[in-house]
Amino acid sequence: MHSLSNYINELNRFSGATNYWFIFLIFAILPLYYSLRKPWQNIFLIVASYVFYGFWDYRFLSLVIITTLLNYFFSSKIHRANDHATKKIILIISLIYNLGILGFFKYYNFFITSFIAAFQSFGFIPHVKILNIILPLGISFFTFKIMGYLVDIYKNKQTPSNLASFALFVSYFPEISAGPIGRAHKFLPQIERRRLIAKEQMFAGAQLILLGLFKKKMIADAIAPYVDQLYSSPQGFMSVALLCGMYLYALQIYADFSGYTDIVRGISKLLGIEIMENFKQPYLSRGISEFWRRWHISLSSWLKDYLYIPLGGNRRGDIRTYINLLITMLLCGLWHGASWTFVIWGGIHGIYLTINRYIKDSLNKRGPTEQANYSNVRLIILILITFHMTSFAWIFFRAPDLATATSYIFSLFNNISPINHASTLLIILTLFYTALVLMIDYPSYRADRELLVTSETPWLWRGVVYALLILSITFIGGSYVKPFIYFNF
């Protein structure tokens, strides 16, 4: 077995390499892909997906294959069961397997160390072994994808596919690393027919790839060194610098994750397969519930459909609704990582959503209200409040541990000093990257679309946008390359 440090180095190498090389590989294999008939197109994509996953670590490829075969068996058994009780038993067994695999790889050490710490606080020293477990790439994403598929079959919303289609659904390489968390009812019908790409689909795919690379290289990776430094020892920085760091990380994680999603959605478009939009200008949200309709949409909608609603949703009274919101968001935090910082981050958002729901319920109880026509000033205030709420919560998400998070917050409110040269530079950088994100997001937000330019945009303006993206990525972007943040989840 490799040491943990060697695995981390391999993951960094993999993440940095796959930022770019596989995009050019896609363009190279497209002619072959489109020359194949439908069944062979699917086989081609399965092989490509397994090669892509095996490039990271071929030993974990066996986990993907075994998980695929077992869940194909579970799906068939659920569908063929003659009575509801048998269906339910098979579903429970399948969920135990999938959650067991996820729990072992992702949460074993977290729960063991928490267990040890709890006993040590009472003076006991339990002898429990900590394992050197490596997290398989994308396990949270393909596990949730599979569980959603099984639940849909159990509820008769989905019929089992053939083994090849299911294997492609699980392993589809644009989605397997960091989502989006695909839904079978949208994905499977697309691969049951031969794909032919239209000119507009090709241009849209290319634009998304360029836009994603721009976000990653020009914004996320450019911001990363400043954020890393501020979070390494927050007690040594002024409040203004830490405030800028809070904003900068909000921009970094958005540009990083939405950039990744743009790239894989663009690649998938080139393959003739549409995968769901995962971001819709979330930092222009006017409230925290709207934020979660715009941020990581595949996860938030999955949690709503397969956790919040089965818990009872808002159908069992106000108190139960608030509890369901808190449970959902706490588990959302835990899904992101085996750390109390993620749990607290999820809990903060659970509190936000609970307060938001309470205010909404209180207003509704006063009588029916008309749709508010907010002034521009009020809209901007609501957007700024929501942005600051989410940015503050990101402190716990970014901090490597609770001690760093508490130190960051304490220093943020206490290290008040006159602005110096370093803080001035951070302010300028924060304003610059904020403006850059707004330049990308605001036109799409106003037009309610995902692309900067469309077929209706004058050709000259389209050419300018493509040229600026290509030149920026090629000549302006720095050499500092960070792994995609969500590769860790």
Side-chain angles (χ1 to χ4, degrees):
M1 287 291 289
H2 290 184
S3 67
L4 179 59
S5 61
N6 286 338
Y7 266 91
I8 292 172
N9 290 335
E10 286 183 20
L11 179 59
N12 288 341
R13 173 181 59 81
F14 170 77
S15 303
T18 51
N19 287 355
Y20 308 109
W21 75 265
F22 74 95
I23 298 172
F24 298 103
L25 181 62
I26 289 297
F27 283 97
I29 66 174
L30 279 177
L32 173 61
Y33 171 73
Y34 280 111
S35 69
L36 299 173
R37 295 180 180 274
K38 185 206 75 175
W40 290 107
Q41 282 184 329
N42 292 347
I43 297 298
F44 181 85
L45 289 179
I46 292 171
V47 173
S49 298
Y50 286 167
V51 169
F52 174 82
Y53 198 88
F55 178 78
W56 174 67
D57 193 318
Y58 65 91
R59 285 164 291 190
F60 284 114
L61 180 58
S62 61
L63 174 66
V64 175
I65 295 172
I66 292 170
T67 296
T68 298
L69 293 173
L70 279 175
N71 282 289
Y72 175 73
F73 171 78
F74 289 139
S75 65
S76 300
K77 289 296 183 181
I78 292 171
H79 180 67
R80 294 174 183 174
N82 295 323
D83 58 275
H84 181 77
T86 305
K87 285 178 179 284
K88 191 170 186 178
I89 290 171
I90 299 171
L91 175 66
I92 291 172
I93 293 171
S94 69
L95 295 180
I96 289 173
Y97 166 78
N98 287 292
L99 289 174
I101 293 293
L102 178 62
F104 173 76
F105 281 104
K106 193 164 186 175
Y107 303 109
Y108 174 84
N109 283 340
F110 170 68
F111 287 118
I112 290 298
T113 53
S114 298
F115 169 80
I116 293 172
F119 271 82
Q120 286 177 341
S121 65
F122 292 102
F124 299 100
I125 304 178
H127 297 284
V128 183
K129 188 175 181 180
I130 302 296
L131 301 178
N132 186 19
I133 300 173
I134 305 302
L135 184 67
L137 181 70
I139 189 170
S140 298
F141 292 93
F142 67 74
T143 300
F144 268 36
K145 183 192 293 190
I146 290 169
M147 290 195 300
Y149 172 79
L150 294 171
V151 171
D152 286 347
I153 291 175
Y154 169 76
K155 293 182 176 180
N156 296 318
K157 294 181 179 179
Q158 176 72 41
T159 56
S161 65
N162 59 62
L163 179 57
S165 296
F166 180 66
L168 181 55
F169 171 66
V170 174
S171 64
Y172 186 50
F173 73 90
E175 290 184 334
I176 195 169
S177 300
I181 303 170
R183 300 292 184 94
H185 71 275
K186 293 182 179 179
F187 182 85
L188 293 175
Q190 295 186 74
I191 64 171
E192 289 171 357
R193 59 178 183 268
R194 186 167 182 258
R195 272 80 68 192
L196 295 172
I197 189 170
K199 181 176 71 174
E200 289 303 321
Q201 193 175 25
M202 180 173 289
F203 280 117
Q207 184 182 158
L208 281 174
I209 292 171
L210 289 174
L211 188 59
L213 288 172
F214 181 88
K215 289 179 180 179
K216 173 62 176 168
K217 192 172 182 181
M218 296 296 297
I219 302 176
D221 286 353
I223 289 173
Y226 303 100
V227 173
D228 290 347
Q229 186 177 4
L230 288 163
Y231 274 88
S232 64
S233 53
Q235 65 279 0
F237 292 94
M238 295 166 45
S239 296
V240 172
L242 295 174
L243 184 64
C244 289
M246 184 182 79
Y247 297 146
L248 286 171
Y249 182 67
L251 298 175
Q252 180 196 353
I253 191 170
Y254 171 54
D256 189 282
F257 194 20
S258 69
Y260 172 84
T261 304
D262 287 343
I263 291 170
V264 298
R265 292 189 69 237
I267 290 171
S268 195
K269 280 181 181 289
L270 296 180
L271 296 171
I273 299 173
E274 297 288 339
I275 57 180
M276 72 180 297
E277 190 174 3
N278 216 16
F279 293 90
K280 292 190 69 174
Q281 305 86 44
Y283 290 144
L284 295 175
S285 302
R286 294 161 292 181
I288 203 68
S289 59
E290 182 182 347
F291 172 82
W292 278 104
R293 291 194 297 271
R294 293 176 174 274
W295 175 275
H296 204 343
I297 299 168
S298 65
L299 175 63
S300 59
S301 61
W302 194 100
L303 290 170
K304 177 185 175 183
D305 293 342
Y306 299 108
L307 182 59
Y308 175 70
I309 291 176
L311 284 172
N314 58 0
R315 304 186 304 275
R316 300 183 182 179
D318 293 343
I319 300 299
R320 183 61 183 271
T321 299
Y322 306 149
I323 292 173
N324 292 341
L325 285 170
L326 285 169
I327 292 173
T328 300
M329 294 313 298
L330 284 169
L331 291 175
C332 173
L334 189 61
W335 177 88
H336 280 85
S339 170
W340 287 110
T341 53
F342 291 116
V343 176
I344 292 172
W345 171 79
I348 290 171
H349 274 278
I351 294 170
Y352 287 165
L353 289 169
T354 300
I355 294 171
N356 181 82
R357 183 77 193 192
Y358 174 79
I359 293 172
K360 182 180 178 181
D361 290 343
S362 299
L363 292 174
N364 288 337
K365 287 175 182 177
R366 295 179 184 177
T369 56
E370 296 181 0
Q371 182 69 29
N373 292 317
Y374 295 146
S375 65
N376 289 334
V377 173
R378 188 172 181 183
L379 286 174
I380 291 172
I381 291 172
L382 289 173
I383 289 170
L384 287 174
I385 290 172
T386 305
F387 175 70
H388 279 81
M389 291 169 66
T390 56
S391 297
F392 175 79
W394 285 130
I395 293 174
F396 288 94
F397 194 95
R398 172 58 180 83
D401 48 54
L402 278 177
T404 304
T406 53
S407 175
Y408 197 104
I409 294 170
F410 179 84
S411 301
L412 177 64
F413 290 102
N414 288 279
N415 291 0
I416 300 174
S417 302
I419 298 175
N420 58 22
H421 176 74
S423 297
T424 302
L425 175 61
L426 279 173
I427 292 171
I428 294 171
L429 286 171
T430 303
L431 292 173
F432 172 75
Y433 287 111
T434 301
L436 207 55
V437 170
L438 285 173
M439 285 175 59
I440 296 171
D441 275 9
Y442 186 69
S444 299
Y445 177 81
R446 290 284 296 175
D448 191 23
R449 67 189 186 201
E450 63 176 334
L451 299 174
L452 287 173
V453 293
T454 67
S455 58
E456 298 175 357
T457 306
W459 66 268
L460 180 60
W461 175 238
R462 277 185 280 167
V464 168
V465 169
Y466 280 109
L468 288 175
L469 289 173
I470 294 171
L471 290 173
S472 299
I473 295 165
T474 306
F475 297 109
I476 302 177
S479 59
Y480 189 77
V481 178
K482 289 276 287 186
F484 283 110
I485 293 171
Y486 268 70
F487 275 21
N488 297 319
F489 308 137

